Amino acid sequence: MSQLVLNNVRKSYGDVEVIKGVDLDIKQGEFCVFVGPSGCGKSTLLRMISGLESITGGKISIGGEVVNDVAAADRGLAMVFQSYALYPHMTVRQNLSFGLENINTSKTDIESKIGSVSKMLQIDMLLDRKPKDLSGGQRQRVAIGRAVVREPSIFLFDEPLSNLDAELRVDMRGEIADLHRRLGNTMIYVTHDQVEAMTMADKIAVLRFGEVEQFGAPLEIYNRPNNIFVAGFIGSPKMNFVEGVVAKLDGSNLTFKTKSGAEIALPAADFDLSEGANVTLGFRPNHLTIAEGAADLKVTVRDAEQLGGESFVFGQCDDAPITLHLRGQTDVDHGAEIGVAIDREHIHLFDTDSGNTLRKA
Ligand code: ADP
Ligand code: MG
C-alpha cells in the first residue's frame, strides 16, 4: 500500500527552481533513501514532505490524504537532523518527553514510553544527563529516541550520521536498520553517501539537480543504471567509462572502437545500437582482470594500493581514468603498462551525448 506519494512536486526560490517535478511512490513500511551530491535538493525535498517548507507546485499525499495544506505538526511525521537539534538546557528525559507533553499525553504513558524507547536505544543510563555530557553517538540516539516516542507514521532522517566518526557511523547504520525492522514504520533517509544508501535502503531515489534520475531497489540500480550519472554515483570505487564508436554491428556482436583506435569485440544482444553511434562503454573495477593473453585495453598504472586481501590499481587508458579492483595481492606498481580484460557479462553501454543507457528495457 502506498504511504507517501509525490506527484510532480516542485520548489522554486525566486526564479531558481531547485525541485523540478518529482514523482515518487513510497510503500507502507519501506526504508527509502534519497541520495545525491550536495546541493541536489535532498533536504529541500524532505522538508517539503515534513511541511517545514512550502511547495511551489504538485501534490504530496500521506496515507491517501493530500497534505499540501496540512501543518507540519499535524502530518504525523517525525524528523531527525544531522545537528541533533536537542534542547541544551534540558536533560535527556526532558528532551524525550518534550514533544509528548505538547500533544497532551498522560504522565504514566510518557514514563512508560521513555522507559521502553531509552532501553531500546541504550540510553536508559543517561536520562538525567544534559546533551553536553553525551558523546556524538549518544546525542544522535537521543535525537532518534525523541522521534520514536512520538510514534510517527513516517520517520524522516536528514544525514543523521554525518557528524559521527567513520566507525560509529557504521554501528549507527546497523542500529537504524535494526530500528526499522523492529518498528516496521516507513522511513525516509537522506544521505550523500552511496554506501549508506546501498546498505540501508529497500528503495533508493537517486537525485541530481532537483530531479529523480532513478528510483528502485539498490541492486536494481547498481546492476541496471539508467544513465552515466547514476552508474558513476552508485558503486565504489566508481564505474570506469571509455568513450568510442560502434564501428561494426553484426547480429549480436559489436565492434567497439576507442578514440585511440583500439577495437573491442562485445556482445550486443542486450542493447539498442546503430553503427557509427557515439557510445560510452562502462565497466566496474571488479569486472576487470589483468589479461593473461590478448588484452581489451592497455592501461598505464599510476598507483596501486595493496590491502592484503584485495588490491586496487589506478591507471589511465587514453584520457580515461581506469580503476581495477582485484582479489588478493598484485605485483603491479607505478609506471607499469598492463593489458586489461573486461568481463563481457557485466558491460554497460550509454549514449555518449544524452548519457542514457542503451540497454533494452
Ligand atoms: P542537499 O540537501 O541535497 O545538499 P538542499 O536541498 O539543501 O540540497 O539545496 C538544494 C538547492 O536549493 C541548493 O542549490 C541550495 O542552494 C538551494 N536552497 C536551499 N534552501 C534555499 C533557500 N532558503 N533559499 C534559496 N536557495 C535555497
Ligand atoms: Mg542537505
Side-chain angles (χ1 to χ4, degrees), residues 67-78:
V67 296
N68 286 15
D69 299 319
V70 175
D74 300 327
R75 292 190 185 188
L77 315 176

Side-chain angles (χ1 to χ4, degrees), residues 13 18 37-44:
Y13 291 109
V18 297
S38 180
C40 71
K42 304 179 296 295
S43 295
T44 304

